[in-house]
Amino acid sequence: MEATILTPTQQHLLKLFSFNRSEAYAREVQEVLMRHFQEKLDKEADRLWDEGILDQQQLDKIRHEDLHKK
C-alpha cells in the first residue's frame, strides 16, 4: 500500500475540521472557500479581459468545449 503525503493545506484543513464536526460547519467552510476561489477567478478573468487575452469570441468557444476531457 502506497503512503499518501498530505500537503500543508490539506493538513491545515484536517486540523480545522477536527474542532467542529457538524455538517453545518463543513458547509460554512465550503462556502467560504468557494467564495474565496470565485473572487480569485473573477480577478484573473478581469485581468485577461483587460489585457485582450480573453474576449467574447474566446468565451463562446469555451462554452462549447468539454473541459473535463482535457
Side-chain angles (χ1 to χ4, degrees):
M1 182 174 179
E2 188 176 324
T4 300
I5 298 173
L6 299 176
T7 67
T9 302
Q10 291 169 323
Q11 292 174 16
H12 183 75
L13 288 172
L14 285 173
K15 288 176 188 175
L16 181 68
F17 284 115
S18 70
F19 294 111
N20 188 331
R21 298 181 183 169
S22 73
E23 186 67 29
Y25 181 73
R27 284 193 301 272
E28 183 180 351
V29 171
Q30 181 182 23
E31 180 65 32
V32 168
L33 288 171
M34 285 191 311
R35 207 173 319 122
H36 168 74
F37 287 111
Q38 184 63 52
E39 288 174 9
K40 288 182 74 158
L41 180 63
D42 290 344
K43 285 180 184 178
E44 181 65 7
D46 288 344
R47 183 188 69 78
L48 293 172
W49 189 276
D50 292 342
E51 293 179 8
I53 297 169
L54 185 64
D55 58 16
Q56 190 60 50
Q57 184 178 358
Q58 289 285 32
L59 291 176
D60 291 342
K61 181 181 173 186
I62 292 170
R63 182 183 315 146
H64 300 293
E65 290 184 24
D66 184 355
L67 302 176
H68 292 98
K69 288 186 178 181
K70 293 188 175 201

